[in-house]
Amino acid sequence: MIGLTLLVRRELRLAFRGGTDAMMGVIFFVLAAILFPFGVGPDAAILPRIGGGIIWVALLAALLSLERMFAADHEDGSLDLLYLSPVSLGQLALAKAIAHWLTSGVLLLIASPVLALLYNLPSSAFLPLVATMALGTPTLSLV
Protein backbone atom coordinates (compact mmCIF):
# COMPACT_ATOMS: atom_id res chain seq x y z
CA MET A 1 0.00 0.00 0.00
CA ILE A 2 2.92 2.33 0.70
CA GLY A 3 4.23 1.74 -2.82
CA LEU A 4 0.85 2.66 -4.30
CA THR A 5 0.70 5.86 -2.26
CA LEU A 6 4.22 6.84 -3.29
CA LEU A 7 3.42 6.18 -6.94
CA VAL A 8 0.26 8.29 -6.78
CA ARG A 9 2.20 11.13 -5.16
CA ARG A 10 4.87 10.85 -7.87
CA GLU A 11 2.26 10.94 -10.63
CA LEU A 12 0.51 13.94 -9.08
CA ARG A 13 3.80 15.85 -8.79
CA LEU A 14 4.59 15.09 -12.43
CA ALA A 15 1.09 16.11 -13.53
CA PHE A 16 1.24 19.42 -11.70
CA ARG A 17 4.72 20.10 -13.10
CA GLY A 18 3.43 19.36 -16.58
CA GLY A 19 1.12 22.33 -16.50
CA THR A 20 -2.08 22.51 -18.47
CA ASP A 21 -2.49 18.93 -19.73
CA ALA A 22 -5.41 18.22 -17.40
CA MET A 23 -7.02 21.56 -18.13
CA MET A 24 -7.04 20.88 -21.87
CA GLY A 25 -9.43 17.96 -21.39
CA VAL A 26 -11.73 20.06 -19.22
CA ILE A 27 -11.68 22.94 -21.69
CA PHE A 28 -12.53 20.55 -24.52
CA PHE A 29 -15.31 19.04 -22.38
CA VAL A 30 -16.86 22.44 -21.71
CA LEU A 31 -16.50 23.60 -25.32
CA ALA A 32 -18.06 20.43 -26.71
CA ALA A 33 -20.99 20.73 -24.33
CA ILE A 34 -21.47 24.43 -25.07
CA LEU A 35 -21.33 23.99 -28.86
CA PHE A 36 -23.78 21.08 -28.97
CA PRO A 37 -26.93 23.27 -28.78
CA PHE A 38 -25.82 25.05 -31.95
CA GLY A 39 -26.21 21.76 -33.80
CA VAL A 40 -29.47 20.70 -32.16
CA GLY A 41 -31.07 24.10 -31.83
CA PRO A 42 -31.84 26.19 -28.76
CA ASP A 43 -35.33 24.74 -28.22
CA ALA A 44 -36.18 25.15 -24.54
CA ALA A 45 -38.15 21.89 -24.54
CA ILE A 46 -35.46 19.67 -26.07
CA LEU A 47 -32.28 20.78 -24.29
CA PRO A 48 -33.36 19.83 -20.73
CA ARG A 49 -34.39 16.37 -21.97
CA ILE A 50 -31.12 15.61 -23.73
CA GLY A 51 -28.76 17.69 -21.55
CA GLY A 52 -27.59 14.80 -19.37
CA GLY A 53 -26.77 12.70 -22.40
CA ILE A 54 -24.92 15.57 -24.02
CA ILE A 55 -22.81 16.02 -20.90
CA TRP A 56 -22.01 12.30 -20.92
CA VAL A 57 -21.01 12.38 -24.59
CA ALA A 58 -18.84 15.41 -23.95
CA LEU A 59 -17.26 13.46 -21.08
CA LEU A 60 -15.43 11.43 -23.68
CA ALA A 61 -13.02 14.36 -23.61
CA ALA A 62 -11.45 12.57 -20.65
CA LEU A 63 -10.16 10.00 -23.10
CA LEU A 64 -7.95 12.63 -24.72
CA SER A 65 -5.47 12.56 -21.87
CA LEU A 66 -5.34 8.77 -21.44
CA GLU A 67 -2.61 8.40 -24.03
CA ARG A 68 -0.26 10.56 -22.01
CA MET A 69 -0.53 8.39 -18.90
CA PHE A 70 2.38 6.16 -19.93
CA ALA A 71 3.90 8.11 -22.86
CA ALA A 72 6.17 10.43 -20.87
CA ASP A 73 7.49 7.58 -18.70
CA HIS A 74 8.14 5.51 -21.79
CA GLU A 75 10.00 8.33 -23.55
CA ASP A 76 12.35 9.16 -20.69
CA GLY A 77 12.97 5.55 -19.66
CA SER A 78 11.43 5.77 -16.21
CA LEU A 79 8.81 3.20 -17.21
CA ASP A 80 11.60 0.63 -17.50
CA LEU A 81 12.80 1.53 -14.01
CA LEU A 82 9.28 1.28 -12.64
CA TYR A 83 8.94 -2.11 -14.31
CA LEU A 84 12.07 -3.31 -12.48
CA SER A 85 10.94 -1.90 -9.12
CA PRO A 86 9.33 -4.14 -6.48
CA VAL A 87 5.94 -2.52 -7.11
CA SER A 88 3.67 -4.73 -9.19
CA LEU A 89 2.51 -3.63 -12.63
CA GLY A 90 -1.08 -3.68 -11.40
CA GLN A 91 -0.23 -1.21 -8.66
CA LEU A 92 1.61 0.95 -11.18
CA ALA A 93 -1.40 1.03 -13.52
CA LEU A 94 -3.77 1.70 -10.61
CA ALA A 95 -1.58 4.56 -9.33
CA LYS A 96 -1.53 6.13 -12.79
CA ALA A 97 -5.31 5.77 -13.08
CA ILE A 98 -5.88 7.33 -9.66
CA ALA A 99 -3.60 10.24 -10.48
CA HIS A 100 -5.31 10.69 -13.85
CA TRP A 101 -8.70 10.79 -12.17
CA LEU A 102 -7.52 13.24 -9.52
CA THR A 103 -6.06 15.60 -12.11
CA SER A 104 -8.74 15.43 -14.80
CA GLY A 105 -11.76 13.44 -13.60
CA VAL A 106 -12.39 15.59 -10.55
CA LEU A 107 -12.32 18.73 -12.70
CA LEU A 108 -14.81 17.17 -15.10
CA LEU A 109 -16.98 16.18 -12.14
CA ILE A 110 -16.96 19.78 -10.90
CA ALA A 111 -17.76 21.19 -14.35
CA SER A 112 -20.74 18.91 -14.99
CA PRO A 113 -23.27 20.64 -12.66
CA VAL A 114 -22.36 23.99 -14.18
CA LEU A 115 -23.09 22.59 -17.63
CA ALA A 116 -26.32 21.12 -16.31
CA LEU A 117 -27.36 24.64 -15.36
CA LEU A 118 -26.62 25.79 -18.90
CA TYR A 119 -28.90 23.08 -20.27
CA ASN A 120 -31.62 24.04 -17.78
CA LEU A 121 -31.78 20.56 -16.31
CA PRO A 122 -34.30 20.21 -13.49
CA SER A 123 -32.86 20.30 -10.01
CA SER A 124 -33.99 16.72 -9.45
CA ALA A 125 -31.54 15.61 -12.19
CA PHE A 126 -28.45 17.12 -10.55
CA LEU A 127 -27.87 14.38 -7.98
CA PRO A 128 -28.20 11.49 -10.46
CA LEU A 129 -25.95 13.33 -12.93
CA VAL A 130 -23.22 13.94 -10.36
CA ALA A 131 -23.56 10.40 -8.96
CA THR A 132 -23.19 8.79 -12.37
CA MET A 133 -20.32 11.12 -13.22
CA ALA A 134 -18.64 10.16 -9.93
CA LEU A 135 -18.84 6.53 -11.05
CA GLY A 136 -18.10 7.14 -14.72
CA THR A 137 -15.03 9.36 -14.52
CA PRO A 138 -12.93 6.87 -12.53
CA THR A 139 -14.07 4.12 -14.89
CA LEU A 140 -12.85 6.14 -17.87
CA SER A 141 -9.52 6.64 -16.09
CA LEU A 142 -9.25 2.87 -15.65
CA VAL A 143 -9.71 2.31 -19.39
mmCIF file with all atom_site columns, all heavy atoms in Angstrom, residues 13 25 29 32-34 39 52 54 56 58-59 68 70 72 78 82 93 99 104 106 109 111-112 124 128 138:
data_model
loop_
_atom_site.group_PDB
_atom_site.id
_atom_site.type_symbol
_atom_site.label_atom_id
_atom_site.label_alt_id
_atom_site.label_comp_id
_atom_site.label_asym_id
_atom_site.label_entity_id
_atom_site.label_seq_id
_atom_site.pdbx_PDB_ins_code
_atom_site.Cartn_x
_atom_site.Cartn_y
_atom_site.Cartn_z
_atom_site.occupancy
_atom_site.B_iso_or_equiv
_atom_site.pdbx_formal_charge
_atom_site.auth_seq_id
_atom_site.auth_comp_id
_atom_site.auth_asym_id
_atom_site.auth_atom_id
_atom_site.pdbx_PDB_model_num
ATOM 1   N N   . ARG A 1 13  ? 2.744   14.847 -8.641  1.00 0.00 ? 13  ARG A N   1
ATOM 2   C CA  . ARG A 1 13  ? 3.801   15.846 -8.792  1.00 0.00 ? 13  ARG A CA  1
ATOM 3   C C   . ARG A 1 13  ? 4.152   16.059 -10.259 1.00 0.00 ? 13  ARG A C   1
ATOM 4   O O   . ARG A 1 13  ? 4.309   17.185 -10.713 1.00 0.00 ? 13  ARG A O   1
ATOM 5   C CB  . ARG A 1 13  ? 5.056   15.425 -8.015  1.00 0.00 ? 13  ARG A CB  1
ATOM 6   C CG  . ARG A 1 13  ? 5.050   15.940 -6.594  1.00 0.00 ? 13  ARG A CG  1
ATOM 7   C CD  . ARG A 1 13  ? 6.339   15.645 -5.884  1.00 0.00 ? 13  ARG A CD  1
ATOM 8   N NE  . ARG A 1 13  ? 6.221   14.250 -5.444  1.00 0.00 ? 13  ARG A NE  1
ATOM 9   C CZ  . ARG A 1 13  ? 7.178   13.347 -5.520  1.00 0.00 ? 13  ARG A CZ  1
ATOM 10  N NH1 . ARG A 1 13  ? 8.346   13.649 -5.996  1.00 0.00 ? 13  ARG A NH1 1
ATOM 11  N NH2 . ARG A 1 13  ? 6.980   12.116 -5.110  1.00 0.00 ? 13  ARG A NH2 1
ATOM 12  N N   . GLY A 1 25  ? -8.282  18.862 -21.326 1.00 0.00 ? 25  GLY A N   1
ATOM 13  C CA  . GLY A 1 25  ? -9.428  17.964 -21.387 1.00 0.00 ? 25  GLY A CA  1
ATOM 14  C C   . GLY A 1 25  ? -10.694 18.617 -20.866 1.00 0.00 ? 25  GLY A C   1
ATOM 15  O O   . GLY A 1 25  ? -11.777 18.441 -21.435 1.00 0.00 ? 25  GLY A O   1
ATOM 16  N N   . PHE A 1 29  ? -14.033 19.520 -22.911 1.00 0.00 ? 29  PHE A N   1
ATOM 17  C CA  . PHE A 1 29  ? -15.310 19.040 -22.380 1.00 0.00 ? 29  PHE A CA  1
ATOM 18  C C   . PHE A 1 29  ? -16.335 20.173 -22.351 1.00 0.00 ? 29  PHE A C   1
ATOM 19  O O   . PHE A 1 29  ? -17.463 20.026 -22.838 1.00 0.00 ? 29  PHE A O   1
ATOM 20  C CB  . PHE A 1 29  ? -15.080 18.463 -20.987 1.00 0.00 ? 29  PHE A CB  1
ATOM 21  C CG  . PHE A 1 29  ? -16.313 18.150 -20.196 1.00 0.00 ? 29  PHE A CG  1
ATOM 22  C CD1 . PHE A 1 29  ? -17.191 17.164 -20.597 1.00 0.00 ? 29  PHE A CD1 1
ATOM 23  C CD2 . PHE A 1 29  ? -16.586 18.818 -19.016 1.00 0.00 ? 29  PHE A CD2 1
ATOM 24  C CE1 . PHE A 1 29  ? -18.319 16.856 -19.861 1.00 0.00 ? 29  PHE A CE1 1
ATOM 25  C CE2 . PHE A 1 29  ? -17.706 18.518 -18.266 1.00 0.00 ? 29  PHE A CE2 1
ATOM 26  C CZ  . PHE A 1 29  ? -18.574 17.544 -18.691 1.00 0.00 ? 29  PHE A CZ  1
ATOM 27  N N   . ALA A 1 32  ? -17.196 21.381 -25.995 1.00 0.00 ? 32  ALA A N   1
ATOM 28  C CA  . ALA A 1 32  ? -18.059 20.425 -26.706 1.00 0.00 ? 32  ALA A CA  1
ATOM 29  C C   . ALA A 1 32  ? -19.489 20.514 -26.193 1.00 0.00 ? 32  ALA A C   1
ATOM 30  O O   . ALA A 1 32  ? -20.450 20.474 -26.979 1.00 0.00 ? 32  ALA A O   1
ATOM 31  C CB  . ALA A 1 32  ? -17.515 19.014 -26.548 1.00 0.00 ? 32  ALA A CB  1
ATOM 32  N N   . ALA A 1 33  ? -19.644 20.643 -24.886 1.00 0.00 ? 33  ALA A N   1
ATOM 33  C CA  . ALA A 1 33  ? -20.989 20.727 -24.326 1.00 0.00 ? 33  ALA A CA  1
ATOM 34  C C   . ALA A 1 33  ? -21.668 22.054 -24.663 1.00 0.00 ? 33  ALA A C   1
ATOM 35  O O   . ALA A 1 33  ? -22.882 22.101 -24.860 1.00 0.00 ? 33  ALA A O   1
ATOM 36  C CB  . ALA A 1 33  ? -20.927 20.540 -22.810 1.00 0.00 ? 33  ALA A CB  1
ATOM 37  N N   . ILE A 1 34  ? -20.891 23.120 -24.746 1.00 0.00 ? 34  ILE A N   1
ATOM 38  C CA  . ILE A 1 34  ? -21.472 24.425 -25.072 1.00 0.00 ? 34  ILE A CA  1
ATOM 39  C C   . ILE A 1 34  ? -21.854 24.493 -26.547 1.00 0.00 ? 34  ILE A C   1
ATOM 40  O O   . ILE A 1 34  ? -22.876 25.082 -26.913 1.00 0.00 ? 34  ILE A O   1
ATOM 41  C CB  . ILE A 1 34  ? -20.490 25.555 -24.697 1.00 0.00 ? 34  ILE A CB  1
ATOM 42  C CG1 . ILE A 1 34  ? -20.441 25.705 -23.185 1.00 0.00 ? 34  ILE A CG1 1
ATOM 43  C CG2 . ILE A 1 34  ? -20.891 26.874 -25.333 1.00 0.00 ? 34  ILE A CG2 1
ATOM 44  C CD1 . ILE A 1 34  ? -19.411 26.686 -22.685 1.00 0.00 ? 34  ILE A CD1 1
ATOM 45  N N   . GLY A 1 39  ? -25.854 22.795 -32.836 1.00 0.00 ? 39  GLY A N   1
ATOM 46  C CA  . GLY A 1 39  ? -26.214 21.760 -33.804 1.00 0.00 ? 39  GLY A CA  1
ATOM 47  C C   . GLY A 1 39  ? -27.637 21.280 -33.657 1.00 0.00 ? 39  GLY A C   1
ATOM 48  O O   . GLY A 1 39  ? -28.315 20.971 -34.630 1.00 0.00 ? 39  GLY A O   1
ATOM 49  N N   . GLY A 1 52  ? -28.416 15.786 -20.082 1.00 0.00 ? 52  GLY A N   1
ATOM 50  C CA  . GLY A 1 52  ? -27.587 14.805 -19.371 1.00 0.00 ? 52  GLY A CA  1
ATOM 51  C C   . GLY A 1 52  ? -26.805 13.924 -20.327 1.00 0.00 ? 52  GLY A C   1
ATOM 52  O O   . GLY A 1 52  ? -25.619 13.628 -20.107 1.00 0.00 ? 52  GLY A O   1
ATOM 53  N N   . ILE A 1 54  ? -25.922 14.741 -23.374 1.00 0.00 ? 54  ILE A N   1
ATOM 54  C CA  . ILE A 1 54  ? -24.917 15.570 -24.016 1.00 0.00 ? 54  ILE A CA  1
ATOM 55  C C   . ILE A 1 54  ? -23.699 15.707 -23.117 1.00 0.00 ? 54  ILE A C   1
ATOM 56  O O   . ILE A 1 54  ? -22.549 15.621 -23.570 1.00 0.00 ? 54  ILE A O   1
ATOM 57  C CB  . ILE A 1 54  ? -25.494 16.959 -24.368 1.00 0.00 ? 54  ILE A CB  1
ATOM 58  C CG1 . ILE A 1 54  ? -26.573 16.821 -25.426 1.00 0.00 ? 54  ILE A CG1 1
ATOM 59  C CG2 . ILE A 1 54  ? -24.398 17.903 -24.823 1.00 0.00 ? 54  ILE A CG2 1
ATOM 60  C CD1 . ILE A 1 54  ? -27.361 18.085 -25.640 1.00 0.00 ? 54  ILE A CD1 1
ATOM 61  N N   . TRP A 1 56  ? -22.706 13.585 -20.911 1.00 0.00 ? 56  TRP A N   1
ATOM 62  C CA  . TRP A 1 56  ? -22.008 12.301 -20.921 1.00 0.00 ? 56  TRP A CA  1
ATOM 63  C C   . TRP A 1 56  ? -21.215 12.091 -22.204 1.00 0.00 ? 56  TRP A C   1
ATOM 64  O O   . TRP A 1 56  ? -20.107 11.559 -22.178 1.00 0.00 ? 56  TRP A O   1
ATOM 65  C CB  . TRP A 1 56  ? -22.996 11.152 -20.713 1.00 0.00 ? 56  TRP A CB  1
ATOM 66  C CG  . TRP A 1 56  ? -22.982 10.723 -19.295 1.00 0.00 ? 56  TRP A CG  1
ATOM 67  C CD1 . TRP A 1 56  ? -23.885 11.068 -18.340 1.00 0.00 ? 56  TRP A CD1 1
ATOM 68  C CD2 . TRP A 1 56  ? -22.015 9.900  -18.661 1.00 0.00 ? 56  TRP A CD2 1
ATOM 69  N NE1 . TRP A 1 56  ? -23.533 10.508 -17.151 1.00 0.00 ? 56  TRP A NE1 1
ATOM 70  C CE2 . TRP A 1 56  ? -22.395 9.775  -17.320 1.00 0.00 ? 56  TRP A CE2 1
ATOM 71  C CE3 . TRP A 1 56  ? -20.877 9.254  -19.094 1.00 0.00 ? 56  TRP A CE3 1
ATOM 72  C CZ2 . TRP A 1 56  ? -21.660 9.045  -16.402 1.00 0.00 ? 56  TRP A CZ2 1
ATOM 73  C CZ3 . TRP A 1 56  ? -20.142 8.519  -18.180 1.00 0.00 ? 56  TRP A CZ3 1
ATOM 74  C CH2 . TRP A 1 56  ? -20.543 8.423  -16.856 1.00 0.00 ? 56  TRP A CH2 1
ATOM 75  N N   . ALA A 1 58  ? -19.963 14.496 -24.042 1.00 0.00 ? 58  ALA A N   1
ATOM 76  C CA  . ALA A 1 58  ? -18.837 15.414 -23.947 1.00 0.00 ? 58  ALA A CA  1
ATOM 77  C C   . ALA A 1 58  ? -17.783 14.895 -22.968 1.00 0.00 ? 58  ALA A C   1
ATOM 78  O O   . ALA A 1 58  ? -16.611 15.252 -23.063 1.00 0.00 ? 58  ALA A O   1
ATOM 79  C CB  . ALA A 1 58  ? -19.318 16.798 -23.520 1.00 0.00 ? 58  ALA A CB  1
ATOM 80  N N   . LEU A 1 59  ? -18.199 14.021 -22.049 1.00 0.00 ? 59  LEU A N   1
ATOM 81  C CA  . LEU A 1 59  ? -17.261 13.455 -21.077 1.00 0.00 ? 59  LEU A CA  1
ATOM 82  C C   . LEU A 1 59  ? -16.191 12.604 -21.751 1.00 0.00 ? 59  LEU A C   1
ATOM 83  O O   . LEU A 1 59  ? -15.135 12.363 -21.182 1.00 0.00 ? 59  LEU A O   1
ATOM 84  C CB  . LEU A 1 59  ? -18.024 12.627 -20.038 1.00 0.00 ? 59  LEU A CB  1
ATOM 85  C CG  . LEU A 1 59  ? -17.208 12.006 -18.923 1.00 0.00 ? 59  LEU A CG  1
ATOM 86  C CD1 . LEU A 1 59  ? -16.615 13.114 -18.072 1.00 0.00 ? 59  LEU A CD1 1
ATOM 87  C CD2 . LEU A 1 59  ? -18.042 11.096 -18.089 1.00 0.00 ? 59  LEU A CD2 1
ATOM 88  N N   . ARG A 1 68  ? -1.436  9.998  -22.658 1.00 0.00 ? 68  ARG A N   1
ATOM 89  C CA  . ARG A 1 68  ? -0.262  10.563 -22.006 1.00 0.00 ? 68  ARG A CA  1
ATOM 90  C C   . ARG A 1 68  ? 0.047   9.936  -20.658 1.00 0.00 ? 68  ARG A C   1
ATOM 91  O O   . ARG A 1 68  ? 1.024   10.310 -20.024 1.00 0.00 ? 68  ARG A O   1
ATOM 92  C CB  . ARG A 1 68  ? -0.447  12.063 -21.855 1.00 0.00 ? 68  ARG A CB  1
ATOM 93  C CG  . ARG A 1 68  ? -0.444  12.792 -23.175 1.00 0.00 ? 68  ARG A CG  1
ATOM 94  C CD  . ARG A 1 68  ? -0.469  14.294 -22.984 1.00 0.00 ? 68  ARG A CD  1
ATOM 95  N NE  . ARG A 1 68  ? -1.657  14.753 -22.271 1.00 0.00 ? 68  ARG A NE  1
ATOM 96  C CZ  . ARG A 1 68  ? -2.789  15.094 -22.848 1.00 0.00 ? 68  ARG A CZ  1
ATOM 97  N NH1 . ARG A 1 68  ? -2.916  15.005 -24.136 1.00 0.00 ? 68  ARG A NH1 1
ATOM 98  N NH2 . ARG A 1 68  ? -3.805  15.521 -22.139 1.00 0.00 ? 68  ARG A NH2 1
ATOM 99  N N   . PHE A 1 70  ? 1.154   6.939  -19.907 1.00 0.00 ? 70  PHE A N   1
ATOM 100 C CA  . PHE A 1 70  ? 2.384   6.162  -19.931 1.00 0.00 ? 70  PHE A CA  1
ATOM 101 C C   . PHE A 1 70  ? 3.409   6.715  -20.910 1.00 0.00 ? 70  PHE A C   1
ATOM 102 O O   . PHE A 1 70  ? 4.556   6.295  -20.901 1.00 0.00 ? 70  PHE A O   1
ATOM 103 C CB  . PHE A 1 70  ? 2.079   4.707  -20.301 1.00 0.00 ? 70  PHE A CB  1
ATOM 104 C CG  . PHE A 1 70  ? 1.357   3.961  -19.219 1.00 0.00 ? 70  PHE A CG  1
ATOM 105 C CD1 . PHE A 1 70  ? -0.017  3.826  -19.255 1.00 0.00 ? 70  PHE A CD1 1
ATOM 106 C CD2 . PHE A 1 70  ? 2.053   3.402  -18.169 1.00 0.00 ? 70  PHE A CD2 1
ATOM 107 C CE1 . PHE A 1 70  ? -0.688  3.142  -18.259 1.00 0.00 ? 70  PHE A CE1 1
ATOM 108 C CE2 . PHE A 1 70  ? 1.384   2.722  -17.169 1.00 0.00 ? 70  PHE A CE2 1
ATOM 109 C CZ  . PHE A 1 70  ? 0.019   2.584  -17.214 1.00 0.00 ? 70  PHE A CZ  1
ATOM 110 N N   . ALA A 1 72  ? 5.010   9.697  -21.378 1.00 0.00 ? 72  ALA A N   1
ATOM 111 C CA  . ALA A 1 72  ? 6.175   10.428 -20.869 1.00 0.00 ? 72  ALA A CA  1
ATOM 112 C C   . ALA A 1 72  ? 7.146   9.488  -20.161 1.00 0.00 ? 72  ALA A C   1
ATOM 113 O O   . ALA A 1 72  ? 8.370   9.612  -20.319 1.00 0.00 ? 72  ALA A O   1
ATOM 114 C CB  . ALA A 1 72  ? 5.729   11.535 -19.928 1.00 0.00 ? 72  ALA A CB  1
ATOM 115 N N   . SER A 1 78  ? 11.811  6.065  -17.589 1.00 0.00 ? 78  SER A N   1
ATOM 116 C CA  . SER A 1 78  ? 11.433  5.774  -16.207 1.00 0.00 ? 78  SER A CA  1
ATOM 117 C C   . SER A 1 78  ? 10.423  4.628  -16.120 1.00 0.00 ? 78  SER A C   1
ATOM 118 O O   . SER A 1 78  ? 10.309  3.985  -15.077 1.00 0.00 ? 78  SER A O   1
ATOM 119 C CB  . SER A 1 78  ? 10.896  7.026  -15.509 1.00 0.00 ? 78  SER A CB  1
ATOM 120 O OG  . SER A 1 78  ? 9.763   7.512  -16.171 1.00 0.00 ? 78  SER A OG  1
ATOM 121 N N   . LEU A 1 82  ? 10.455  1.653  -13.420 1.00 0.00 ? 82  LEU A N   1
ATOM 122 C CA  . LEU A 1 82  ? 9.276   1.283  -12.637 1.00 0.00 ? 82  LEU A CA  1
ATOM 123 C C   . LEU A 1 82  ? 8.938   -0.197 -12.826 1.00 0.00 ? 82  LEU A C   1
ATOM 124 O O   . LEU A 1 82  ? 8.476   -0.856 -11.899 1.00 0.00 ? 82  LEU A O   1
ATOM 125 C CB  . LEU A 1 82  ? 8.079   2.155  -13.026 1.00 0.00 ? 82  LEU A CB  1
ATOM 126 C CG  . LEU A 1 82  ? 8.146   3.603  -12.574 1.00 0.00 ? 82  LEU A CG  1
ATOM 127 C CD1 . LEU A 1 82  ? 7.050   4.419  -13.236 1.00 0.00 ? 82  LEU A CD1 1
ATOM 128 C CD2 . LEU A 1 82  ? 8.047   3.700  -11.070 1.00 0.00 ? 82  LEU A CD2 1
ATOM 129 N N   . ALA A 1 93  ? -0.275  0.606  -12.676 1.00 0.00 ? 93  ALA A N   1
ATOM 130 C CA  . ALA A 1 93  ? -1.405  1.031  -13.515 1.00 0.00 ? 93  ALA A CA  1
ATOM 131 C C   . ALA A 1 93  ? -2.497  1.674  -12.668 1.00 0.00 ? 93  ALA A C   1
ATOM 132 O O   . ALA A 1 93  ? -3.099  2.677  -13.077 1.00 0.00 ? 93  ALA A O   1
ATOM 133 C CB  . ALA A 1 93  ? -1.956  -0.157 -14.286 1.00 0.00 ? 93  ALA A CB  1
ATOM 134 N N   . ALA A 1 99  ? -4.139  8.900  -10.239 1.00 0.00 ? 99  ALA A N   1
ATOM 135 C CA  . ALA A 1 99  ? -3.595  10.242 -10.479 1.00 0.00 ? 99  ALA A CA  1
ATOM 136 C C   . ALA A 1 99  ? -4.294  10.908 -11.664 1.00 0.00 ? 99  ALA A C   1
ATOM 137 O O   . ALA A 1 99  ? -4.573  12.108 -11.628 1.00 0.00 ? 99  ALA A O   1
ATOM 138 C CB  . ALA A 1 99  ? -2.098  10.157 -10.717 1.00 0.00 ? 99  ALA A CB  1
ATOM 139 N N   . SER A 1 104 ? -7.790  15.047 -13.752 1.00 0.00 ? 104 SER A N   1
ATOM 140 C CA  . SER A 1 104 ? -8.738  15.428 -14.803 1.00 0.00 ? 104 SER A CA  1
ATOM 141 C C   . SER A 1 104 ? -10.177 15.050 -14.461 1.00 0.00 ? 104 SER A C   1
ATOM 142 O O   . SER A 1 104 ? -11.094 15.827 -14.721 1.00 0.00 ? 104 SER A O   1
ATOM 143 C CB  . SER A 1 104 ? -8.339  14.799 -16.136 1.00 0.00 ? 104 SER A CB  1
ATOM 144 O OG  . SER A 1 104 ? -8.406  13.403 -16.058 1.00 0.00 ? 104 SER A OG  1
ATOM 145 N N   . VAL A 1 106 ? -11.767 14.743 -11.570 1.00 0.00 ? 106 VAL A N   1
ATOM 146 C CA  . VAL A 1 106 ? -12.395 15.589 -10.551 1.00 0.00 ? 106 VAL A CA  1
ATOM 147 C C   . VAL A 1 106 ? -12.808 16.927 -11.162 1.00 0.00 ? 106 VAL A C   1
ATOM 148 O O   . VAL A 1 106 ? -13.885 17.445 -10.861 1.00 0.00 ? 106 VAL A O   1
ATOM 149 C CB  . VAL A 1 106 ? -11.448 15.778 -9.349  1.00 0.00 ? 106 VAL A CB  1
ATOM 150 C CG1 . VAL A 1 106 ? -11.976 16.805 -8.386  1.00 0.00 ? 106 VAL A CG1 1
ATOM 151 C CG2 . VAL A 1 106 ? -11.232 14.459 -8.635  1.00 0.00 ? 106 VAL A CG2 1
ATOM 152 N N   . LEU A 1 109 ? -15.879 16.377 -13.087 1.00 0.00 ? 109 LEU A N   1
ATOM 153 C CA  . LEU A 1 109 ? -16.985 16.183 -12.143 1.00 0.00 ? 109 LEU A CA  1
ATOM 154 C C   . LEU A 1 109 ? -17.490 17.524 -11.618 1.00 0.00 ? 109 LEU A C   1
ATOM 155 O O   . LEU A 1 109 ? -18.697 17.725 -11.457 1.00 0.00 ? 109 LEU A O   1
ATOM 156 C CB  . LEU A 1 109 ? -16.509 15.283 -11.002 1.00 0.00 ? 109 LEU A CB  1
ATOM 157 C CG  . LEU A 1 109 ? -17.523 14.805 -9.992  1.00 0.00 ? 109 LEU A CG  1
ATOM 158 C CD1 . LEU A 1 109 ? -18.544 13.914 -10.666 1.00 0.00 ? 109 LEU A CD1 1
ATOM 159 C CD2 . LEU A 1 109 ? -16.823 14.042 -8.888  1.00 0.00 ? 109 LEU A CD2 1
ATOM 160 N N   . ALA A 1 111 ? -17.197 20.412 -13.245 1.00 0.00 ? 111 ALA A N   1
ATOM 161 C CA  . ALA A 1 111 ? -17.760 21.189 -14.351 1.00 0.00 ? 111 ALA A CA  1
ATOM 162 C C   . ALA A 1 111 ? -19.144 20.701 -14.772 1.00 0.00 ? 111 ALA A C   1
ATOM 163 O O   . ALA A 1 111 ? -19.924 21.472 -15.342 1.00 0.00 ? 111 ALA A O   1
ATOM 164 C CB  . ALA A 1 111 ? -16.812 21.149 -15.545 1.00 0.00 ? 111 ALA A CB  1
ATOM 165 N N   . SER A 1 112 ? -19.476 19.459 -14.499 1.00 0.00 ? 112 SER A N   1
ATOM 166 C CA  . SER A 1 112 ? -20.742 18.915 -14.989 1.00 0.00 ? 112 SER A CA  1
ATOM 167 C C   . SER A 1 112 ? -21.987 19.599 -14.410 1.00 0.00 ? 112 SER A C   1
ATOM 168 O O   . SER A 1 112 ? -22.938 19.836 -15.162 1.00 0.00 ? 112 SER A O   1
ATOM 169 C CB  . SER A 1 112 ? -20.795 17.404 -14.791 1.00 0.00 ? 112 SER A CB  1
ATOM 170 O OG  . SER A 1 112 ? -20.738 17.069 -13.442 1.00 0.00 ? 112 SER A OG  1
ATOM 171 N N   . SER A 1 124 ? -33.939 18.128 -9.844  1.00 0.00 ? 124 SER A N   1
ATOM 172 C CA  . SER A 1 124 ? -33.988 16.717 -9.447  1.00 0.00 ? 124 SER A CA  1
ATOM 173 C C   . SER A 1 124 ? -33.009 15.856 -10.246 1.00 0.00 ? 124 SER A C   1
ATOM 174 O O   . SER A 1 124 ? -32.705 14.736 -9.849  1.00 0.00 ? 124 SER A O   1
ATOM 175 C CB  . SER A 1 124 ? -35.407 16.172 -9.616  1.00 0.00 ? 124 SER A CB  1
ATOM 176 O OG  . SER A 1 124 ? -35.790 16.249 -10.982 1.00 0.00 ? 124 SER A OG  1
ATOM 177 N N   . PRO A 1 128 ? -28.536 12.653 -9.622  1.00 0.00 ? 128 PRO A N   1
ATOM 178 C CA  . PRO A 1 128 ? -28.203 11.495 -10.465 1.00 0.00 ? 128 PRO A CA  1
ATOM 179 C C   . PRO A 1 128 ? -27.070 11.777 -11.450 1.00 0.00 ? 128 PRO A C   1
ATOM 180 O O   . PRO A 1 128 ? -26.238 10.913 -11.704 1.00 0.00 ? 128 PRO A O   1
ATOM 181 C CB  . PRO A 1 128 ? -29.502 11.187 -11.204 1.00 0.00 ? 128 PRO A CB  1
ATOM 182 C CG  . PRO A 1 128 ? -30.571 11.786 -10.388 1.00 0.00 ? 128 PRO A CG  1
ATOM 183 C CD  . PRO A 1 128 ? -29.967 12.965 -9.714  1.00 0.00 ? 128 PRO A CD  1
ATOM 184 N N   . PRO A 1 138 ? -14.001 7.803  -12.882 1.00 0.00 ? 138 PRO A N   1
ATOM 185 C CA  . PRO A 1 138 ? -12.926 6.866  -12.535 1.00 0.00 ? 138 PRO A CA  1
ATOM 186 C C   . PRO A 1 138 ? -12.878 5.657  -13.469 1.00 0.00 ? 138 PRO A C   1
ATOM 187 O O   . PRO A 1 138 ? -11.809 5.137  -13.769 1.00 0.00 ? 138 PRO A O   1
ATOM 188 C CB  . PRO A 1 138 ? -13.238 6.421  -11.114 1.00 0.00 ? 138 PRO A CB  1
ATOM 189 C CG  . PRO A 1 138 ? -14.287 7.282  -10.606 1.00 0.00 ? 138 PRO A CG  1
ATOM 190 C CD  . PRO A 1 138 ? -14.928 7.954  -11.757 1.00 0.00 ? 138 PRO A CD  1
#
